[in-house]
Amino acid sequence: MTASRAERRGPSRSPADAENGTAGRPPAGRVRPAGAAADDPLRLRCTVPADPSRAAAVRRLVTDHLTRLRLSAEQCDSAVLATDELFANAVKHASTDPHDTVTVTIEWTGCTLRVTVADHSPVRPCPRAACEAAESGRGLAIVAALADDWGMAPPEPGSPGKRVWFTLRRRGAAP
């Protein structure tokens, strides 16, 4: 299954990154938001390498952002798990080049959370039934079970690929 990746460019790099050979990649274990306005606490956008080793950093970033939005713990957990599934799908099924990236966008409208995962592959995700012994194949089923709605969208104008998104409606706020 696949999520989506709408931008190929990663976060901006410092001159030190070019000197130490890390240009084009965030430092190991860290994900830096890219394109998030400092004055817009309701939106987060980050672009990271399409690498399974980045999943934990993406989960931490999403958790930190959702905590500030004061979602209930249950909804925060559901959103992090669904985002993780879409990120894993994008990495596993849509990444073909070592320089591929995945863009995660979180938007909060006051009563609805929308998370979009964008990749450069035009191949649409295909929900499937996994047998009990299968180690994979349940990602989109998990997203569908956790989210109020989910779907696919074309890439942003001028970008290749697709976007896979899900929404959660606010049910209760953290104190």
Side-chain angles (χ1 to χ4, degrees):
M1 284 165 253
T2 313
S4 32
R5 183 181 318 136
E7 293 183 356
R8 216 175 234 296
R9 68 179 171 82
S12 59
R13 301 280 149 250
S14 71
D17 291 337
E19 290 175 21
N20 68 20
T22 60
R25 297 190 72 155
R30 281 188 40 206
V31 175
R32 288 189 271 180
D39 60 348
D40 187 1
L42 304 180
R43 187 170 194 269
L44 174 76
R45 182 184 193 112
C46 66
T47 298
V48 298
D51 187 307
S53 69
R54 301 304 171 129
V58 169
R59 286 190 303 271
R60 281 190 303 272
L61 183 70
V62 171
T63 299
D64 290 347
H65 186 72
L66 295 179
T67 300
R68 287 190 296 266
L69 298 178
R70 301 177 59 87
L71 293 174
S72 70
E74 179 183 348
Q75 283 196 295
C76 185
D77 290 346
S78 293
V80 171
L81 178 55
T83 303
D84 189 51
E85 290 295 336
L86 294 183
F87 179 80
N89 287 347
V91 170
K92 182 175 183 178
H93 301 288
S95 176
T96 59
D97 183 290
H99 300 292
D100 280 346
T101 58
V102 175
T103 299
V104 177
T105 304
I106 301 171
E107 299 168 292
W108 177 247
T109 62
C111 62
T112 303
L113 175 73
R114 181 180 176 105
V115 177
T116 304
V117 179
D119 65 56
H120 289 281
S121 172
V123 178
R124 296 174 57 91
C126 180
R128 62 182 182 179
C131 69
E132 287 183 27
E135 293 183 14
S136 64
R138 295 175 185 85
L140 290 178
I142 290 170
V143 172
L146 296 171
D148 291 313
D149 195 13
W150 76 277
M152 292 162 266
E156 292 183 11
S159 296
K162 69 189 162 302
R163 295 178 284 178
V164 181
W165 55 268
F166 68 87
T167 59
L168 293 172
R169 286 185 299 280
R170 179 178 226 152
R171 286 180 179 64

